[in-house]
Amino acid sequence: SVFGDILRGKVPASVYAESDTLLAFRDRTPRAPLHGLVIPKRHIRSVRNLAQDDLNTVVEMKEMALGIIREEQPKAYDEEDYILCFHIAPFNSVDHLHLHVLAPSSSMDYLYRNGKYRNGMIWCTGVD
């Protein structure tokens, strides 16, 4: 996948943060002033493929995402004006688990904020 190529350094990415297990970078088609993706370095196909053993990975993804918002969009962080979401297969664009990090959500186009990236829909779920 393109994310595997990013992890291997074959495709450039604008990196926000990195740990031993995660990489966060700017989405190539941002839908908010801050639109990042947090991915595990270990391949997990989608949110549907998460196992109980992956709980720590998801918690780390959320923590990294919140840290990026706090750093890049502090007002949005303070006002909880952000979206964290996973797209659910088959509505995901890349078969590698990725958490969308969008802030401030109030500045997003209506269709993206209330459609494509809206948690609780059949195509999108939150990190909690």
Side-chain angles (χ1 to χ4, degrees):
S1 74
V2 67
F3 294 167
D5 289 342
I6 289 170
L7 288 168
R8 288 186 290 278
K10 292 182 178 182
V11 172
S14 178
V15 175
Y16 287 116
E18 185 172 8
S19 71
D20 291 341
T21 58
L22 304 175
L23 180 68
F25 52 92
R26 184 169 175 79
D27 191 293
R28 66 184 174 125
T29 54
R31 303 302 184 193
L34 167 62
H35 187 171
L37 301 171
V38 180
I39 65 170
K41 291 182 177 178
R42 178 176 57 87
H43 185 261
I44 300 170
R45 185 174 172 89
S46 78
V47 69
R48 291 188 186 270
N49 300 101
L50 288 169
Q52 188 66 31
D53 293 348
D54 297 317
L55 179 60
N56 285 342
T57 298
V58 174
V59 169
E60 290 171 6
M61 292 172 80
K62 179 181 179 182
E63 289 171 356
M64 182 175 279
L66 291 174
I68 293 165
I69 298 168
R70 192 170 38 250
E71 179 73 25
E72 300 286 330
Q73 292 285 335
K75 183 178 180 201
Y77 177 83
D78 291 342
E79 295 175 0
E80 296 184 8
D81 185 14
Y82 56 82
I83 295 171
L84 302 178
C85 69
F86 296 104
H87 283 123
I88 302 169
F91 303 101
N92 54 326
S93 58
V94 178
D95 286 332
H96 188 124
L97 184 68
H98 53 286
L99 177 63
H100 288 271
V101 183
L102 300 125
S105 59
S106 61
S107 71
M108 294 171 63
D109 180 275
Y110 178 86
L111 289 176
Y112 290 115
R113 183 178 66 249
N114 294 297
K116 184 174 183 178
Y117 300 101
R118 184 174 176 186
N119 287 321
M121 307 306 284
I122 63 168
W123 58 82
C124 194
T125 187
V127 71
D128 294 321

